[in-house]
Amino acid sequence: MSRPYLNPSDEAELREVTAKYADPAKVTDASVTASAGVTDSEALTSTVTPVTEVTSLPRGEREATLDALHTFLSRFIAYPTPETADAHALWIVHAHVVEQFENTPRIAFLSPEPGSGKSRCMELTEALVPRPVLSVNATPAYIFRKISDDAGLPTLLIDECDAIFTGGKTDSSEELRGLLNSGYRKGATAGRVAIKGKELVTEDWPSFSAVALAGLNTLPDTIMTRAVVVPMKRRRRDQTVEPYRRRLIGPEADELRARIGAWADAMRPYIGGQWPDLPESIQDRDADVWEPLIAIADDAGGKWPARARSAALSILKASQDKGVSLGIRLLSDIRDVFTEERLSSVELVARLVALEDAPWPSIHGEELTPRFAARLLSKYEIGPTTLKIGGRSVKGFKRSMFGDAWSRYLPPLASVERGNSGNPDNPAGHRPESGYPGTDGYPNIGNPDSLICPNCLETDCDGTCQEDQR
């Protein structure tokens, strides 16, 4: 049998040893040294050294193992969507080979209310991952030492994590957040100062480890962006799951964990070198999070490559829809209400407050003010300026001041048909598909004759702005 992970000389040596000893697991230091002509007095104390042959699993067996894991989890957990069930199964397999990847995504089971199945997710994860460490309100010092355990990398399972990160910032919560943030990348360490005798010495503690979290509501943004988020919900009355009893289900879980372990042993030599093709929209941090899971799905084969990519797109879309900051919401709403070339700050705020289902009528119990709007916009390098509107000098904004921020932080509103399309009144060739929305995601609200140039954001552009930029 060919072993591509061995070079020819190593493979020849393995064949020789296997042929000489009927049971490779009984090869000892003493027998090897004797065969090499080393006398008993020169030999070290004999210890049993098993020779483990790593074989590749047939693709059908890999797919069957992942299918069995998915079925097992779905018996006891009411997932919010099928995609989150797929992600959970892939994450569990990834925990068995986590040391092979450059990044390890966190998985976060979050819900708005108790009784939504989060702890059940953690219990089943504990039964299926290698070296699980399930803890509630663990201290950073404890976690650092578990990660450094000589037994191997643990799989950290932190339940009720909302108790750690709510109630304001503390030294402990910030230390744990730093550990979780840095530990998703291989080789990451956390620096600490220790007292040894009368001296203070610096120490680097490894922080790389697979981590699952469960808690109420949400987590710090820096953790959420490194996590596969599973928004758990209470079961509907028509949803039924099997009761989970560790004493009864434990043997079945152990058998399934052994199957996953055998698959992990087979793919360990090569899985870290895989570069799966990701959907075009999955980039940067999102690509770091999903690449290990999609690599495992590709190794399983069958329907799993397509399912993993579908799960990634679905979960990321849900996370992005819910994770809009107040600043991003302000930019989006301004894009909706900014219908003129110029607006005073007072008029802009009045339009924002009048929007239905917007947070602006009550921000921290008070209505949005021009001062607070200016403060929110300042981090995007946008600020009010003095303008002439209606013959008066007022503080306000030009629509062109928002163009850069809109293009960077907001999705486009509509696609653009390039070219003049036979419209003599549009010499620049910028023609939106309809009067609303406008070109390239810039506003053209309520005036289909007002064609906005996506380069200079002016309605009276004759196309020379593009020549100027050249």
Side-chain angles (χ1 to χ4, degrees), residues 232-295:
M232 298 300 293
K233 303 175 182 178
R234 284 186 180 175
R235 284 188 289 123
R236 300 190 308 269
R237 290 182 176 83
D238 61 337
Q239 287 182 300
T240 58
V241 294
E242 293 183 30
Y244 177 73
R245 298 290 181 270
R246 184 178 301 184
R247 289 183 303 143
L248 300 177
I249 309 299
E252 185 179 354
D254 292 342
E255 180 181 347
L256 182 55
R257 186 178 65 244
R259 287 181 63 182
I260 299 170
W263 177 18
D265 289 340
M267 66 175 158
R268 187 168 281 111
Y270 60 82
I271 192 64
Q274 303 302 303
W275 295 96
D277 292 329
L278 302 178
E280 186 176 348
S281 61
I282 300 180
Q283 300 176 358
D284 303 326
R285 179 67 56 76
D286 294 336
D288 292 341
V289 168
W290 281 95
E291 187 175 87
L293 307 188
I294 291 178

Side-chain angles (χ1 to χ4, degrees), residues 154-212:
T155 303
L156 299 177
L157 311 174
I158 305 176
D159 203 358
E160 299 182 15
C161 60
D162 51 287
I164 301 173
F165 295 110
T166 56
K169 295 182 179 180
T170 64
D171 291 344
S172 179
S173 66
E174 288 302 293
E175 197 171 5
L176 181 58
R177 176 161 63 168
L179 184 154
L180 296 176
N181 289 344
S182 66
Y184 98 111
R185 189 175 295 280
K186 190 174 184 179
T189 60
R192 291 295 179 271
V193 175
I195 300 175
K196 292 189 175 180
K198 295 182 178 180
E199 296 183 358
L200 295 177
V201 296
T202 59
E203 296 179 343
D204 290 323
W205 289 81
S207 57
F208 179 76
S209 180
V211 179

Side-chain angles (χ1 to χ4, degrees), residues 10 50 62 76 91 108 115 162 194 245 310 316-317 348 366 389 394 402 428 434 457:
D10 290 340
R62 289 175 260 168
F76 307 101
W91 189 90
D162 51 287
R245 298 290 181 270
S310 175
L316 287 173
K317 176 68 166 57
L348 178 59
E366 297 183 3
I389 299 178
V394 295
F402 295 91
S434 62
L457 301 178

Side-chain angles (χ1 to χ4, degrees), residues 5 19 36 39 42 53 55 69 82 86 88 91 155 193 213 243 267 288 293 308 319 343-344 346 353 367 380 395 401:
Y5 50 87
T39 63
E42 295 172 325
E53 181 180 346
T55 61
L69 173 59
D86 293 345
H88 189 194
W91 189 90
T155 303
V193 175
L213 305 107
M267 66 175 158
D288 292 341
L293 307 188
S319 297
L343 273 181
S344 69
V346 173
V353 171
E367 190 173 277
Y380 305 106
K395 287 293 185 180
M401 299 166 75

Side-chain angles (χ1 to χ4, degrees), residues 260-429:
I260 299 170
W263 177 18
D265 289 340
M267 66 175 158
R268 187 168 281 111
Y270 60 82
I271 192 64
Q274 303 302 303
W275 295 96
D277 292 329
L278 302 178
E280 186 176 348
S281 61
I282 300 180
Q283 300 176 358
D284 303 326
R285 179 67 56 76
D286 294 336
D288 292 341
V289 168
W290 281 95
E291 187 175 87
L293 307 188
I294 291 178
I296 287 169
D298 287 350
D299 191 65
K303 56 187 176 299
W304 279 101
R307 284 173 62 171
R309 288 164 174 82
S310 175
L313 293 172
S314 174
I315 293 174
L316 287 173
K317 176 68 166 57
S319 297
Q320 291 164 359
D321 289 345
K322 293 181 179 179
V324 175
S325 68
L326 197 62
I328 298 296
R329 177 64 188 267
L330 180 60
L331 287 175
S332 179
D333 286 349
I334 288 176
R335 186 170 68 173
D336 290 342
V337 303
F338 213 131
T339 59
E340 292 87 359
E341 293 301 318
R342 303 177 176 194
L343 273 181
S344 69
S345 298
V346 173
E347 176 63 21
L348 178 59
V349 168
R351 294 185 184 188
L352 292 170
V353 171
L355 288 175
E356 294 184 5
D357 299 326
W360 313 121
S362 180
I363 301 293
H364 305 301
E366 297 183 3
E367 190 173 277
L368 179 69
T369 64
R371 183 184 297 273
F372 185 54
R375 190 188 312 161
L376 286 176
L377 292 171
S378 65
K379 62 182 178 180
Y380 305 106
E381 300 181 357
I382 301 172
T385 188
T386 302
L387 302 172
K388 278 282 189 180
I389 299 178
R392 296 186 302 115
S393 294
V394 295
K395 287 293 185 180
F397 300 88
K398 295 180 181 180
R399 184 170 56 220
S400 59
M401 299 166 75
F402 295 91
D404 184 68
W406 285 340
S407 66
R408 293 177 186 275
Y409 297 102
L410 301 183
L413 287 175
S415 60
V416 180
E417 180 183 345
R418 296 293 180 186
N420 192 316
S421 302
N423 181 2
D425 296 325
N426 183 20

